[in-house]
Amino acid sequence: MKFAITPCPNDTFSYYALISGAIKSDFEFVFEDIETLNIDALAGNYPVTKMSFAQYLLCSDKYELLDAGAALGVGTGPVLVGRNTFGFSEAKEVLVPGINTTGALLLRKFCGGKTPRLIPMHFRSILDKLSSGESDFGVLIHEGRFVYSSMGLKLIGDLGDFWTKSTGLPVPLGCICVRKDLSDRSSMISALIRESIRAAFSDPEATYDYVASKAQYLDAEVLKKHIYAFVNDYSLDIADIKFKLIVELEKCRK
């Protein structure tokens, strides 16, 4: 059974025990960036897949949202940055890590209906475009939010913090979904995900070499900040807040 995730630290940390075979399963892991996974989800390409919470809103006819495996930040998430802090109100365009990512949806909420044109690109290219001067503003996800200041970029808005202050909820970034033709396996898949996450937390050092092999940035402290920002108790179970998250995300789309 193909299980599609991103190569980013929170995913490789969470699923290392399954990827390595320490926990037995019939999963075959596939790695793609989040927007590629979002596009694949529209076609129902993978039986089990990560996708942006924002994308799930468009795929709920094909996929069931699992209670386990989600990446949520507590007051932390995507950031809007620029080469300068001024001029954003007149910005014509903003680079985003995919049109249907949660980062793009939070940007729309942050801008209050006056969103500049969104230019989608691979998340790893956004920092390069900004630091080289090819673009002025962009939304950063994954490790990018922890390193932008070292590259001379300025924070315009912490979109995750804005979301949490606006809604009182953790920031819904990525979720794990199972295709509805396999929904009878949802409980088993959720149990394996929880077992893998608990295994990672019980021996995090065992995961770090593999995490670094897939990561954008190799600095050990950056990797740990990324992991512990987005893998937490919510990764084990979002049942109590799942409906509230979907309702608030739907409001952002209107």
Side-chain angles (χ1 to χ4, degrees), residues 53 57 65 70 72 163 167 169-172 234 238 241-251:
F53 266 93
L57 302 180
L65 174 60
L72 282 79
W163 165 274
T167 66
L169 294 167
V171 187
Y234 291 117
I238 57 168
I241 60 169
K242 182 166 63 174
F243 179 72
K244 293 178 182 178
L245 293 171
I246 297 302
V247 168
E248 290 298 329
L249 286 167
E250 287 283 9
K251 290 178 183 178

Side-chain angles (χ1 to χ4, degrees), residues 139-232:
V139 173
L140 302 179
I141 59 174
H142 303 320
E143 302 106 302
R145 69 157 287 122
F146 300 110
V147 301
Y148 68 85
S149 60
S150 67
M151 302 178 74
L153 300 172
K154 310 298 183 185
L155 179 67
I156 295 168
D158 187 322
L159 304 181
D161 183 61
F162 178 76
W163 165 274
T164 295
K165 287 178 177 175
S166 300
T167 66
L169 294 167
V171 187
L173 302 168
C175 55
I176 302 297
C177 300
V178 60
R179 209 168 53 207
K180 286 190 172 180
D181 60 305
L182 296 166
S183 59
D184 61 320
R185 300 189 68 180
S186 293
S187 295
M188 177 271 292
I189 294 168
S190 293
L192 286 170
I193 289 171
R194 290 187 179 104
E195 187 179 356
S196 185
I197 293 171
R198 290 187 177 110
F201 276 126
S202 69
D203 187 10
E205 294 291 334
T207 73
Y208 290 153
D209 285 347
Y210 184 76
V211 169
S213 75
K214 296 284 188 180
Q216 182 180 13
Y217 298 99
L218 299 181
D219 181 85
E221 289 308 308
V222 171
L223 296 183
K224 290 176 184 178
K225 284 180 181 179
H226 182 130
I227 290 167
Y228 290 104
F230 304 121
V231 187
N232 46 48

Side-chain angles (χ1 to χ4, degrees), residues 35-109:
E35 185 65 352
T36 298
L37 294 181
N38 286 341
I39 293 168
D40 284 336
L42 288 172
N45 287 348
Y46 292 112
V48 187
T49 185
K50 182 172 187 174
M51 66 181 77
S52 298
F53 266 93
Q55 182 67 28
Y56 171 72
L57 302 180
L58 306 176
C59 297
S60 58
D61 60 327
K62 296 183 179 69
Y63 283 95
E64 175 187 341
L65 174 60
L66 297 183
D67 291 339
L72 282 79
V74 180
T76 187
V79 289
L80 171 64
V81 303
R83 297 174 63 218
N84 295 290
T85 56
F86 56 86
F88 180 70
S89 59
E90 288 80 40
K92 297 287 194 295
E93 61 185 40
V94 180
L95 307 182
V96 294
I99 293 296
N100 294 318
T101 56
T102 303
L105 193 64
L106 296 184
L107 176 64
R108 294 187 183 101
K109 181 178 178 65

